[in-house]
Amino acid sequence: MDRNGASNLMQAGASSVDVDDANIQAEKLEDFCSPEWQLRSRHFLVLSSAGKPIYTRYGNESQLSTLMSAVQAIISSFNDMSDPVRSMNVGQHTIVFFTSGPLYLLAVSDRNDPEELLRNELQLVHSQIVSILTSAQLTKIFEQRSNFDLRQLLGGTEGIIDQLVDRLDTDLSFTLGSLDTLWMRYRLRERVGKTLLSHRPKSLLYAMVIADMKLVTLVRPRKHSLHPADLHLLFNMATSTTFVSGEHWTPVCFPKFNDQGFLHVYINYITPKVALILVSADRDSFFTMTQCRENVCRDLAIDDSLQRLEDAAAQRALHPRELGVTGLLQLYYRHKTLIQHFGTQFEDTVDDAQQRRIINTYKRLRLHMTKGTQKPLRIIYYKSEKDTVLAWQSSTFELYVAVVSSISVKGIIRLVNSVLEWIKQEEDHLFVVNAPSY
């Protein structure tokens, strides 16, 4: 690239960042009296048991202190009656509460979201905070000073929580409780996994390569694995703007693994779109992890695997028509044994509003199918004026498909059978089938 080209590219990038920064600043200027804040479909708030503001997705915590105090009073009044408040409906809004130790969390939605769904999302927000501080540290802080301002310790990490909240609204990974995987050639995935394993230092517990939130491969101990929820939080952190350049060595708590302490995580983008994540229990092993990264990159560069990995990461998600069927708007397939899933992109004719509606429908149908009943639902067919969706689960998979409204039920069954056959043929390329272990 010549100098003028490089200069123009940098200016374009700077303009994009400026626009994003301006949007974020505008969001943070909102308060609960402003029309912009009141028109938001969903809000997530976090406060301490003493009523101190900690986090809000929209607006500034300080400007919402009056609202936070009111929330604290409501929760405390119910606690005093030994009947903790769980949810309430106010007009068109559903309000869900979640408390854990010294933290109070609140979700507000005007989209008729199920209470259980909102509570699950609040638990994920809480877990993201724990991943930054640990439960032990949170408890100790508020035992010593009940009115402590936790923003002093969370400063600089708000973007990570913002990103999580935004993804909860559009990404089904968190609801499915499984890992999204990158579609790529099996031999390349195997090559990357074997390279990670061959250069593993003794102090390394887990190694993984991701592209955005999609897993390329993972190396783990033979008898231990990290919970998908912990990996979701880690991937969300690793893909935030804070970590996209340079080498990073940071303590991270994995709540499902051990919410009382930290492991130490090395994050480096080995290509513009591909991140290497190394996890160790040894806080002094930064230089060892750096050497591991250098060895891995050198090895993968020998046969151009590093470039092929970047090319795979740069590809868009599979388009519905690439599955060889007509009438499909989008799908998600969850492999129950591997606890992994993949999803196609949406058909080009589906606008943002319909995309959000379909994802919301998937979430609702999964809640119905996975409720702890003796005879869980296996197939749910949903049809409205605007959307047609089928959810299907067996002992080995879950499938969620959105189709054009003109297709018949028999046509959907034929489509689904064709999709399942295609997935069976492509399984080695869709999923991490044989993750290396030691």
Side-chain angles (χ1 to χ4, degrees), residues 343-414:
T344 68
Q345 60 180 285
F346 278 90
E347 179 63 49
D348 301 338
T349 56
V350 181
D351 61 24
D352 290 346
Q354 188 177 8
Q355 289 183 25
R356 196 180 301 275
R357 207 167 53 240
I358 289 171
I359 293 295
N360 249 5
T361 302
Y362 289 164
K363 291 179 180 180
R364 291 169 176 275
L365 298 187
R366 187 170 198 271
L367 281 177
H368 284 296
M369 288 203 307
T370 56
K371 282 183 176 178
T373 58
Q374 290 183 345
K375 293 183 178 181
L377 296 171
R378 295 295 184 184
I379 299 178
I380 304 177
Y381 173 68
Y382 170 88
K383 188 175 179 64
S384 68
E385 293 182 0
K386 297 180 178 179
D387 304 311
T388 304
V389 173
L390 180 77
W392 180 12
Q393 71 166 330
S394 72
S395 59
T396 58
F397 70 83
E398 295 175 30
L399 181 67
Y400 304 86
V401 298
V403 299
V404 296
S405 58
S406 59
I407 193 169
S408 66
V409 174
K410 288 184 178 180
I412 296 176
I413 298 301
R414 287 195 297 270

Side-chain angles (χ1 to χ4, degrees), residues 138-197:
L138 282 170
T139 301
K140 183 177 180 181
I141 288 169
F142 286 102
E143 281 179 349
Q144 294 175 347
R145 288 178 57 191
S146 61
N147 64 342
F148 181 78
D149 187 348
L150 197 63
R151 290 174 296 176
Q152 297 176 28
L153 296 181
L154 289 176
T157 64
E158 297 91 343
I160 295 172
I161 306 174
D162 285 348
Q163 183 171 266
L164 174 67
V165 170
D166 292 345
R167 280 179 166 150
L168 289 173
D169 201 22
T170 58
D171 189 341
L172 203 64
S173 298
F174 304 95
T175 300
L176 292 176
S178 53
L179 298 177
D180 195 1
T181 50
L182 180 69
W183 185 92
M184 61 189 299
R185 294 291 96 189
Y186 169 77
R187 294 298 180 193
L188 179 57
R189 195 190 306 274
E190 184 181 47
R191 169 82 166 92
V192 176
K194 287 182 176 179
T195 301
L196 290 178
L197 186 61

Side-chain angles (χ1 to χ4, degrees), residues 39-50:
L39 288 173
R40 301 285 183 186
S41 291
R42 285 159 45 109
H43 287 282
F44 287 80
L45 308 175
V46 184
L47 60 149
S48 71
S49 56

Side-chain angles (χ1 to χ4, degrees), residues 13-185:
S15 299
S16 176
V17 171
D18 289 344
V19 170
D20 290 343
D21 289 345
N23 289 337
I24 292 171
Q25 290 173 8
E27 290 172 355
K28 294 304 180 184
L29 288 175
E30 298 173 11
D31 63 56
F32 71 96
C33 292
S34 67
E36 296 84 2
W37 195 89
Q38 294 177 6
L39 288 173
R40 301 285 183 186
S41 291
R42 285 159 45 109
H43 287 282
F44 287 80
L45 308 175
V46 184
L47 60 149
S48 71
S49 56
K52 283 279 189 179
I54 295 174
Y55 170 79
T56 176
R57 173 59 187 91
Y58 300 107
N60 181 282
E61 295 86 6
S62 297
Q63 293 176 334
L64 299 175
S65 57
T66 303
L67 176 62
M68 299 279 197
S69 297
V71 172
Q72 187 270 341
I74 292 171
I75 295 174
S76 296
S77 63
F78 278 90
N79 287 344
D80 291 342
M81 295 185 288
S82 299
D83 183 21
V85 60
R86 294 176 58 83
S87 67
M88 59 177 64
N89 294 313
V90 180
Q92 294 183 336
H93 292 83
T94 300
I95 304 174
V96 176
F97 302 85
F98 173 71
T99 63
S100 180
L103 300 188
Y104 292 170
L105 294 88
L106 172 77
V108 182
S109 172
D110 66 1
R111 298 200 311 231
N112 199 28
D113 289 326
E115 176 186 337
E116 184 178 352
L117 173 65
L118 291 173
R119 181 165 291 104
N120 291 342
E121 293 179 345
L122 286 174
Q123 290 172 344
L124 282 166
V125 173
H126 178 265
S127 293
Q128 189 76 78
I129 294 173
V130 171
S131 76
I132 299 168
L133 297 173
T134 76
S135 288
Q137 189 173 359
L138 282 170
T139 301
K140 183 177 180 181
I141 288 169
F142 286 102
E143 281 179 349
Q144 294 175 347
R145 288 178 57 191
S146 61
N147 64 342
F148 181 78
D149 187 348
L150 197 63
R151 290 174 296 176
Q152 297 176 28
L153 296 181
L154 289 176
T157 64
E158 297 91 343
I160 295 172
I161 306 174
D162 285 348
Q163 183 171 266
L164 174 67
V165 170
D166 292 345
R167 280 179 166 150
L168 289 173
D169 201 22
T170 58
D171 189 341
L172 203 64
S173 298
F174 304 95
T175 300
L176 292 176
S178 53
L179 298 177
D180 195 1
T181 50
L182 180 69
W183 185 92
M184 61 189 299
R185 294 291 96 189

